[in-house]
Amino acid sequence: MRLRPSEVISYERDGYVIIPESFSGSELELICDEAERVLGLDIEGKILEGDALTVRSVNGVHLHSDVLYTFARHPRLLEPAQQLLADEVYIHQFKINAKRGLNGEVWPWHDDYVFWRNEDGMPSPRAINFVLFLDDVAEFNGPMLAVPRTHRRSLDDDAHEIRKFEPGSDSHDWHHHTSKQLKYTLERSLLQQAIGQNGVVSLKGARGSILIFHPCLFHCSSTNSMPWDRRLVIVTYNSVSNGLLERPNPRPNFMANRNFSPLTLVADDTLMPRSLK
């Protein structure tokens, strides 16, 4: 499934695009069941909320689920990723963010590429995020907020100005790359300037929709104030020609995959129950 020209233009202009209801109810049921199974596993890569009970996210889910690994190779994701990056791709990261009803906490303002560059040695932001909404994402259940067009700024100009390290946290602890206390966040002054120029959008949509966004896009999300979950499955693809450089203490494979073998497509009906094929 290739994106329409208008969708490509939106992505390149704003740094994101939403493809409404890309997966059917039957496909979503299979993916949701598998996501909940993985969220319940006692595995490395799981992050809890501040209450030390509620699961916040699980990283490296393709290492524990054939269904979700198949999902990452589905033509409704893989073909647009190849189209937008003009290259074959591999999985850099694959996670489930489970912002549980009334317990889902904030994700501070940040951009993703700073982590991948500084921690993983990703040479350039020739990567892309694909987000599947497992639940309806609405105004009050912690939707992702984004500042349009921030993906087009010069990385060299602000590399030493817009990011800060959270005081008191261990710089080598990968938990600070995915918990509420992020290692890198955006400085207030730069965020004010960016929002003043470009505004803020709330990236909402019905379950089954796909959000595609650039790794340099400024984004955050608030707490989930509703009594229903807001779950996302997030696949990050990287260009095979943009493989990670060597690092003295690389992050675990579930956070930064170093197998750069290109993904191969599966059939479009792979996630459909057999009775419906």
Side-chain angles (χ1 to χ4, degrees), residues 6 12 64 66 72 77 80 112 141 187 193 223 265:
S6 61
E12 293 179 344
H64 304 281
D66 290 339
L77 281 74
D112 293 335
N141 67 348
E187 292 284 3
Q193 180 183 27
T223 58
L265 285 167

Side-chain angles (χ1 to χ4, degrees), residues 104-271:
E105 296 181 352
V106 304
W107 288 84
W109 281 103
H110 67 284
D111 75 79
D112 293 335
Y113 179 58
V114 63
F115 293 89
W116 306 340
R117 180 187 63 191
N118 294 359
E119 306 298 325
D120 305 326
M122 185 180 287
S124 70
R126 296 196 63 243
I128 196 166
N129 294 304
F130 278 68
V131 184
L132 173 65
F133 296 173
L134 296 185
D135 306 288
D136 291 341
V137 177
E139 197 64 49
F140 303 110
N141 67 348
M144 187 173 122
L145 306 181
V147 184
R149 295 176 286 284
T150 43
H151 68 301
R152 303 175 68 176
R153 72 194 189 282
S154 170
L155 296 177
D156 293 334
D157 290 344
D158 61 24
H160 302 291
E161 298 174 6
I162 68 171
R163 293 150 188 137
K164 61 184 179 181
F165 180 69
E166 292 295 333
S169 57
D170 183 349
S171 63
H172 298 294
D173 185 356
W174 64 266
H175 291 78
H176 292 294
H177 306 160
T178 190
S179 67
K180 181 179 177 180
Q181 298 298 320
L182 289 181
K183 181 174 181 179
Y184 303 101
T185 57
L186 297 177
E187 292 284 3
R188 179 177 180 178
S189 59
L190 179 98
L191 191 57
Q192 288 175 331
Q193 180 183 27
I195 293 175
Q197 292 174 346
N198 301 296
V200 177
V201 292
S202 181
L203 302 179
K204 301 173 288 187
R207 66 190 303 263
S209 299
I210 292 285
L211 163 65
I212 307 170
F213 74 97
H214 193 282
C216 292
L217 188 73
F218 292 179
H219 63 284
C220 74
S221 64
S222 61
T223 58
N224 183 359
S225 300
M226 301 301 288
W228 298 280
D229 295 341
R230 188 232 67 178
R231 299 165 298 170
L232 308 176
V233 175
I234 306 174
V235 187
T236 298
Y237 300 102
N238 189 24
S239 301
V240 296
S241 59
N242 194 44
L244 308 182
L245 304 177
E246 292 297 324
R247 281 288 185 267
N249 297 297
R251 291 200 291 179
N253 193 51
F254 57 79
M255 289 293 295
N257 179 24
R258 290 183 176 271
N259 179 354
F260 310 144
S261 302
L263 297 172
T264 56
L265 285 167
V266 298
D268 187 75
D269 65 352
T270 303
L271 296 174

